[in-house]
Amino acid sequence: MGQLKSKHHIPCVHFSANDEGLPRYASHQFDTCNQKQDGNLQIPPTIVVSDGSRMDLRRSSFYSTLDLVPQLDNYTSTLPHQQSRSRPSLEALRKVPHTTTDSEVSSLPVIDSGNEESKSLQEKAPVRFGWVTGVMIRCMLNIWGVILFLRLSWIISEAGIMLTSVIILMSATVTSVTALSISAIATNGRVISGGAYFMISRSLGPEIGGPIGVVFSFANALACALNTVGFAEVVVKLMMEFGIVMVDEINDIRIVGVITVTILLLISLAGMEWESKTQILFFIVLMVSFSNYLVGTIIPPSPEKQAQGIFGYHSEIFLANLKPDWRLGNNFFQTFAIFFPSAIGILSGANISGDLKDPATAIPKGTLMAIFWTTVSYLGISFTLGSCVIRDASGNISDALTGNITDGCVGCNLGWNFTECTLSKSCQYGLANDSKVLGQISGFYYLITAGVFAASLSSALGFLVSAPKVFQCLCRDKIYPYIGFFAKGYGKNDEPLRAYILCYVIAVSPLCLISNFFLCSYSLINFSCFHASITNSPGWRPSFHYYSKWTALFGAVISVVLMFLLTWWAALITFSIIFFLFGYVNYTKPTAVVSRLSSSFRPQCLVLTGPPNQRPALVDFVASFTKHISLMICGDIIMEEERQTRPQDATDLLVKWMNKRKVRSFYTPLSADGLRAGARNLLQASGLGKLKPNTLVLGFKSNWRESSPESIEDYINTIYDTFDSNYCLCILRMMDGLDIFDQFDFEVNQGFESDESVENDHQSPVRQSVEDISDKGDSDQIKTVFQSDQGKKTIDVYWIADDGGLTLLVPYLLTRRKLWRSSKVRVFIVGDEQNMDERRKEMIALLKRFRLDFNDVIVMTDSEKRPHSKNLSRFLDSVAPFRLWDEQQEGTLAQEFRENAPCKISDKQFEAFRLKTERKVRLNEIIRRNSQHAALVLVSLPVPQSDCPSALYMAWLDTLTCGLHCPAVLIRGNQQNVLTFYCQ
């Protein structure tokens, strides 16, 4: 057989590494002078995309120069509003190029990114925030509201320290569970701007997300208004202390509130950078204010402070304030309703997710840290305040105790007698009567006032920014009519200026359904997490693992319960609004929007099983990754000779067999003249709407060498029809023959058979009927490898060509099953020694963006070497019967041979595909060396050009998977992304 030499001229190139370590061309000129001729195969050629000043490298796959290796750039289009370099379609891969590499380059998109444009893009780069400034500080500022400074002392006096701690911990529990769900959703891919709306709409669909987007935006606007009113009240009272009155108290609050919201609007319109700096300023003021309070608790109180009920740390005061003292008919849930709005700021960071550097890291870390520290601060202030201040005090210096202590004396053990004002209920100081206790106990009173200002204004500003961000995302999805006007963004950060103005208008006219709106949002966020987990969505792959679907369900239920416990009529109004908006979307059904927002790829499989009981391994393999997840249809193509002998109840018996095997699948028999005709009809007619297959699964035709040319042509053309129909394709090869038994072959399509290695184990001269087979199957189900626990074996994935990710999705779905859960997935990719580390890091980074826990990546650096001569000889012997040895290079004789034997391989064709053949043989050597002990091997299926002879392509498929002792799957996606970066 000798040495095989390629006639193709393959250019080699010089490239250098840029700042990021990615290979870049140093020159546009191809340098072929140093091309090695030492017998090794050349490195697969690269594709150049010119940008006018720099060259970009796109590494071709092992299969062809047009088919690309997996790389991150091909998936950036999965991010909303992002464009990527498109990978070639199946149609493009099937085309025969008219010229060489240059023509292939011309078919790819040219990306023009000149130096001047690059500089301008850098200058206009949007501001991005980390987890501290973007999430944690923002959430903490929204949680620390005016309730902390003005109402917490009253809550302690009513509920006592013990129940106040319960109220704080209950609120923290609801927000923490919700934060875990938010973290899971936020790490399930890239989250763009839109916060709660984006998360819910991509998880539960726009029917639920749309109403929440409207209600949540409105709730944020109202929260801005209420915090502004709280600020205005404090300002007006401070003005009245100095005798300043503009109109009257009520109108003064309105005037100050409108001025305040206007100033906050101007800060928001200035951009996120200014807004962030303002928030940091507020945070510093709050830290100073808290420090001032803590210092005040340890300073010995003056007689004036003691008259106001402030005595410093005393165990008697702590014990007296430990239990509740309900007054004026108040109870636990009323005080809880007053406190809970202080905890609603946990979504402040998630709502600006589009302005975060890394939302998947920032949102979980920042939100949970904010909840932790604010909970600690609330508990700390509750304990310190309850240990230093009594409930009732008169404020009169004359109430200092000078005589003997009398029975029932209030404050006498502290040297004061507040009995008179307590009995007459005229006490003006103490926890129960004065909202300024924090200021009175602090070292400097007006620093607490500054803290009140910072808390209220920071919360108002945070809500004023959150509402337009969420509403802008909702408007862009075009779920509701007449709101698209507010979708437009401005500036480098895509600021929703129009939505800011709308929020401003709402904020100056506040209402009071805010707690219920936020609780409703929390409920649906938790339910989104629970729903995605319980439905086993293939797109649900959060990298944040510290959540549970049951805690998420608990969070959803408790949020609804709290809505009705707080204000039942407000809860009914909230749900009425939600149901109305839901009904509108469900009735109008904006199909394009719904399909776009609800798209999460699921492998819907059409499996050409024939009678399912005759290929149990093929059935079990597909059921392993479709059961409870997606559609499976077992297609049975019935030939002409089988129709007359087929029992009338055969369909019922086969369905009964599948039910007995607990296979979730439809069974679809179809009469046809051949495999290709039947498969084509099934591809076109199977399924309906969302229950339509997108993946064809075949068994491997291992008897192809003994088959007729027509049979091979029929099988290969079925594969070609699959590509032409834009379907994904899987071909399962069972080396142990578990997909069919020899005694059943009279019922089996001759398009594909089992390997010969086990045929002798199942010889039977008697041909059974379908009824006999079904009866046997009911009592003795045949166990296959896919029904056995695989232990800690490996699933080896040879991801040679970028098909959109199906090659990775299928093994991921398998590892979610109990039998495969302990199996380790290894990913093999093509590379060379010079960039081995870079290729491995790039692939690990890509897998991380997919949220796949596959960390074992192996770079095949020796894939360019020539295969061993004995393996080449074996391949040549296998295709020898299909060669047209006597065909001439030109003339009418060649055309006549080709027409009479379409699957035969001419000498010209064999030489044209010689290099690709050698690569397939070499790849098989690598697979056999690395995967002898694997539980399953998946290999990227090569897409042949339209002029590739059927027999040669069949030999390639045989070569890629031969010599293994485990099941092998040749798999190919349809070149469309099934793994995405963004939340789905």
Side-chain angles (χ1 to χ4, degrees):
M1 299 302 171
Q3 296 289 330
L4 298 178
K5 295 183 179 180
S6 174
K7 294 184 179 181
H8 293 289
H9 173 72
I10 304 176
C12 67
V13 296
H14 294 305
F15 60 84
S16 59
N18 65 357
D19 295 338
E20 299 176 353
L22 297 176
R24 299 282 179 178
Y25 280 108
S27 171
H28 185 58
Q29 299 295 326
F30 288 126
D31 183 4
T32 58
C33 60
N34 296 324
Q35 214 171 9
K36 295 182 180 180
Q37 302 294 338
D38 59 356
N40 290 346
L41 294 177
Q42 302 298 321
I43 296 175
T46 53
I47 297 176
V48 180
V49 181
S50 174
D51 61 4
S53 60
R54 299 181 65 187
M55 301 298 150
D56 196 3
L57 177 69
R58 303 192 74 190
R59 176 75 183 262
S60 61
S61 78
F62 195 73
Y63 289 147
S64 74
T65 55
L66 189 59
D67 206 0
L68 303 178
V69 297
Q71 53 189 342
L72 185 143
D73 289 345
N74 289 338
Y75 294 89
T76 54
S77 62
T78 64
L79 293 174
H81 313 300
Q82 297 289 330
Q83 293 183 350
S84 70
R85 301 163 175 162
S86 58
R87 64 174 65 85
S89 64
L90 289 172
E91 182 182 3
L93 293 176
R94 295 270 289 123
K95 285 183 178 178
V96 180
H98 297 290
T99 57
T100 58
T101 307
D102 292 336
S103 66
E104 295 179 350
V105 172
S106 64
S107 67
L108 291 175
V110 176
I111 301 176
D112 186 9
S113 56
N115 290 334
E116 294 182 0
E117 185 176 348
S118 299
K119 291 179 180 178
S120 63
L121 288 175
Q122 291 178 358
E123 292 174 358
K124 297 180 180 180
V127 179
R128 294 288 184 256
F129 305 105
W131 71 272
V132 176
T133 57
V135 181
M136 189 182 75
I137 291 179
R138 190 176 298 275
C139 289
M140 291 174 74
L141 287 172
N142 278 267
I143 295 173
W144 286 329
V146 292
I147 291 175
L148 172 65
F149 292 94
L150 303 180
R151 302 297 284 170
L152 184 60
S153 58
W154 176 85
I155 293 173
I156 295 172
S157 72
E158 291 284 327
I161 297 174
M162 186 182 301
L163 289 184
T164 298
S165 301
V166 173
I167 289 173
I168 294 171
L169 293 175
M170 279 183 60
S171 301
T173 300
V174 174
T175 55
S176 296
V177 170
T178 305
L180 293 178
S181 299
I182 292 171
S183 301
I185 298 174
T187 58
N188 189 44
R190 176 79 175 179
V191 179
I192 63 166
S193 60
Y197 161 71
F198 183 86
M199 297 177 187
I200 295 173
S201 63
R202 270 60 176 179
S203 299
L204 296 181
E207 298 92 342
I208 299 296
I212 283 299
V214 174
V215 170
F216 191 73
S217 301
F218 192 61
N220 276 274
L222 294 182
C224 172
L226 294 181
N227 279 276
T228 304
V229 169
F231 167 78
E233 287 180 351
V234 177
V235 171
V236 169
K237 288 181 180 180
L238 188 63
M239 291 168 55
M240 292 176 67
E241 290 180 6
F242 291 94
I244 302 174
V245 178
M246 290 182 287
V247 181
D248 54 49
E249 184 177 356
I250 299 299
N251 287 307
D252 284 358
I253 292 175
R254 293 171 179 170
I255 293 171
V256 173
V258 171
I259 294 174
T260 303
V261 175
T262 304
I263 294 174
L264 295 178
L265 173 65
L266 294 176
I267 294 174
S268 301
L269 294 178
M272 287 298 298
E273 192 171 3
W274 281 93
E275 187 268 349
S276 180
K277 291 177 180 178
T278 305
Q279 294 284 33
I280 292 175
L281 176 62
F282 289 147
F283 184 77
I284 294 173
V285 173
L286 277 170
M287 291 296 100
V288 173
S289 180
F290 287 149
S291 301
N292 175 52
Y293 162 76
L294 293 175
V295 170
T297 60
I298 61 177
I299 295 176
S302 63
E304 289 77 10
K305 285 190 176 182
Q306 290 182 357
Q308 296 171 349
I310 300 170
F311 294 93
Y313 293 103
H314 278 274
S315 58
E316 296 88 349
I317 298 177
F318 175 78
L319 293 175
N321 290 331
L322 194 61
K323 296 181 180 180
D325 180 19
W326 305 113
R327 302 180 182 182
L328 301 176
N330 292 318
N331 56 43
F332 177 82
F333 285 106
Q334 286 178 327
T335 53
F336 179 83
I338 291 173
F339 176 82
F340 184 77
S342 66
I344 62 178
I346 62 169
L347 290 174
S348 301
N351 286 337
I352 64 161
S353 52
D355 298 298
L356 300 175
K357 293 178 182 177
D358 184 9
T361 301
I363 292 175
K365 195 172 182 180
T367 305
L368 292 172
M369 288 295 287
I371 293 173
F372 173 76
W373 287 117
T374 52
T375 302
V376 169
S377 65
Y378 272 109
L379 289 173
I381 292 176
S382 299
F383 277 87
T384 55
L385 201 59
S387 301
C388 297
V389 186
I390 63 176
R391 282 188 168 96
D392 298 291
S394 63
N396 298 324
I397 298 293
S398 60
D399 286 340
L401 189 63
T402 57
N404 296 326
I405 300 176
T406 60
D407 293 338
C409 178
V410 178
C412 293
N413 57 340
L414 301 171
W416 291 77
N417 187 353
F418 301 124
T419 306
E420 182 180 351
C421 76
T422 302
L423 293 176
S424 63
K425 298 182 180 180
S426 60
C427 296
Q428 297 180 359
Y429 294 93
L431 294 175
N433 308 292
D434 191 359
S435 63
K436 303 175 183 177
V437 170
L438 263 70
Q440 293 165 353
I441 197 175
S442 64
F444 184 65
Y445 176 82
Y446 290 105
L447 281 179
I448 295 297
T449 303
V452 175
F453 290 170
S456 56
L457 290 177
S458 62
S459 298
L461 182 58
F463 288 123
L464 182 61
V465 169
S466 297
K469 294 282 186 181
V470 174
F471 194 63
Q472 181 188 37
C473 186
L474 171 66
C475 294
R476 283 180 171 169
D477 285 337
K478 300 178 181 178
I479 295 178
Y480 298 105
Y482 312 119
I483 62 174
F485 174 80
F486 299 100
K488 185 175 177 56
Y490 297 86
K492 58 185 179 182
N493 273 65
D494 195 30
E495 297 291 351
L497 302 186
R498 297 175 179 177
Y500 279 138
I501 302 298
L502 177 64
C503 180
Y504 169 79
V505 173
I506 297 174
V508 296
S509 54
L511 299 174
C512 295
L513 294 172
I514 180 170
S515 293
N516 278 273
F517 284 170
F518 277 98
L519 279 171
C520 187
S521 300
Y522 293 170
S523 176
L524 284 176
I525 288 173
N526 282 296
F527 185 74
S528 297
C529 182
F530 170 75
H531 179 268
S533 301
I534 202 70
T535 56
N536 289 319
S537 172
W540 180 246
R541 303 184 299 274
S543 57
F544 182 86
H545 301 297
Y546 305 103
Y547 77 98
S548 167
K549 58 186 176 183
W550 302 117
T551 58
L553 179 62
F554 168 77
V557 173
I558 197 65
S559 297
V560 174
V561 171
L562 287 175
M563 288 177 67
F564 284 94
L565 288 176
L566 296 183
T567 314
W568 65 268
W569 57 267
L572 292 178
I573 293 175
T574 302
F575 279 113
S576 298
I577 295 173
I578 294 292
F579 288 144
F580 173 78
L581 295 173
F582 170 81
Y584 174 83
V585 178
N586 199 47
Y587 177 76
T588 56
K589 294 188 181 298
T591 306
V593 177
V594 171
S595 61
R596 176 166 54 88
L597 300 190
S598 304
S599 58
S600 176
F601 181 87
R602 295 172 182 258
Q604 317 272 35
C605 295
L606 170 61
V607 194
L608 298 189
T609 59
N613 57 6
Q614 297 175 17
R615 290 192 180 83
L618 189 61
V619 172
D620 293 340
F621 165 65
V622 180
S624 296
F625 63 86
T626 60
K627 190 175 182 180
H628 304 302
I629 292 177
S630 56
L631 174 69
M632 176 180 175
I633 299 176
C634 291
D636 184 4
I637 302 172
I638 303 172
M639 305 299 184
E640 179 66 31
E641 60 272 14
E642 299 172 14
R643 299 173 192 169
Q644 300 177 355
T645 59
R646 181 181 175 86
Q648 293 183 350
D649 60 346
T651 298
D652 295 335
L653 294 173
L654 292 171
V655 170
K656 182 180 179 182
W657 180 88
M658 289 193 297
N659 292 336
K660 183 75 174 180
R661 204 173 184 83
K662 297 181 180 179
V663 173
R664 297 287 184 90
S665 175
F666 294 101
Y667 171 67
T668 305
L670 179 72
S671 298
D673 296 332
L675 173 67
R676 182 186 185 186
R680 181 182 294 177
N681 292 335
L682 286 172
L683 288 172
Q684 294 175 353
S686 296
L688 181 66
K690 291 185 177 181
L691 292 177
K692 185 172 179 60
N694 53 31
T695 304
L696 182 71
V697 184
L698 290 168
F700 182 72
K701 183 178 176 61
S702 59
N703 66 342
W704 67 278
R705 295 182 186 88
E706 296 78 27
S707 299
S708 64
E710 293 77 15
S711 177
I712 299 175
E713 194 75 13
D714 210 30
Y715 181 81
I716 297 300
N717 282 331
T718 300
I719 296 177
Y720 293 166
D721 290 341
T722 305
F723 290 146
D724 294 340
S725 301
N726 205 36
Y727 269 56
C728 306
L729 179 64
C730 292
I731 300 177
L732 174 66
R733 183 171 189 177
M734 295 297 300
M735 303 306 169
D736 293 331
L738 296 179
D739 59 333
I740 186 175
F741 297 112
D742 184 68
Q743 68 264 35
F744 300 154
D745 60 1
F746 78 102
E747 281 274 3
V748 176
N749 297 332
Q750 299 301 315
F752 53 97
E753 302 287 348
S754 65
D755 284 357
E756 299 174 1
S757 58
V758 293
E759 286 184 356
N760 294 331
D761 297 337
H762 302 286
Q763 290 293 337
S764 174
V766 181
R767 295 186 174 182
Q768 303 177 24
S769 66
V770 174
E771 184 175 2
D772 295 333
I773 296 167
S774 299
D775 290 340
K776 180 182 179 180
D778 289 339
S779 59
D780 184 21
Q781 289 278 344
I782 302 165
K783 190 174 184 179
T784 67
V785 66
F786 296 104
Q787 295 177 313
S788 303
D789 193 336
Q790 301 301 315
K792 294 185 178 181
K793 293 182 180 179
T794 62
I795 300 176
D796 291 348
V797 181
Y798 291 83
W799 199 17
I800 309 301
D802 195 344
D803 62 343
L806 184 69
T807 308
L808 293 178
L809 181 61
V810 168
Y812 164 74
L813 295 177
L814 283 174
T815 56
R816 294 173 63 175
R817 300 300 184 188
K818 183 178 179 181
L819 299 177
W820 297 82
R821 191 166 296 163
S822 300
S823 300
K824 181 180 180 182
V825 177
R826 300 191 298 176
V827 180
F828 293 80
I829 58 174
V830 175
D832 48 60
E833 293 183 359
Q834 289 82 2
N835 66 355
M836 179 177 65
D837 292 337
E838 288 79 3
R839 283 285 293 140
R840 185 176 182 276
K841 290 178 181 178
E842 290 172 5
M843 180 54 61
I844 291 176
L846 182 61
L847 295 174
K848 185 177 180 181
R849 297 292 295 271
F850 289 148
R851 296 97 61 205
L852 296 174
D853 193 19
F854 302 164
N855 298 316
D856 197 350
V857 176
I858 298 134
V859 182
M860 299 179 292
T861 59
D862 57 348
S863 56
E864 297 87 9
K865 293 183 180 179
R866 281 181 56 82
H868 295 295
S869 57
K870 64 176 183 179
N871 295 322
L872 278 175
S873 299
R874 187 184 301 112
F875 177 85
L876 294 175
D877 292 340
S878 67
V879 298
F882 302 93
R883 296 282 302 276
L884 294 174
W885 298 101
D886 56 344
E887 180 183 348
Q888 303 300 319
Q889 294 296 325
E890 56 185 0
T892 57
L893 184 60
Q895 182 66 25
E896 184 178 345
F897 272 129
R898 190 75 184 99
E899 292 177 356
N900 293 334
C903 81
K904 294 286 187 178
I905 311 168
S906 68
D907 293 339
K908 184 178 180 179
Q909 289 172 327
F910 190 79
E911 288 298 320
F913 292 104
R914 183 183 294 269
L915 181 59
K916 293 184 178 181
T917 296
E918 293 181 359
R919 290 175 180 168
K920 309 290 188 301
V921 176
R922 177 56 186 163
L923 181 57
N924 175 254
E925 293 176 353
I926 297 173
I927 294 173
R928 284 189 287 127
R929 181 184 66 203
N930 293 310
S931 303
Q932 281 298 331
H933 303 291
L936 180 68
V937 173
L938 295 97
V939 187
S940 295
L941 178 72
V943 179
Q945 295 173 353
S946 57
D947 61 341
C948 180
S950 299
L952 180 61
Y953 184 61
M954 192 70 237
W956 285 352
L957 302 186
D958 189 13
T959 298
L960 283 172
T961 55
C962 72
L964 294 175
H965 301 291
C966 65
V969 180
L970 291 163
I971 185 169
R972 186 77 185 207
N974 62 357
Q975 302 297 98
Q976 298 175 6
N977 293 322
V978 302
L979 294 176
T980 61
F981 291 168
Y982 94 108
C983 178
Q984 55 174 329

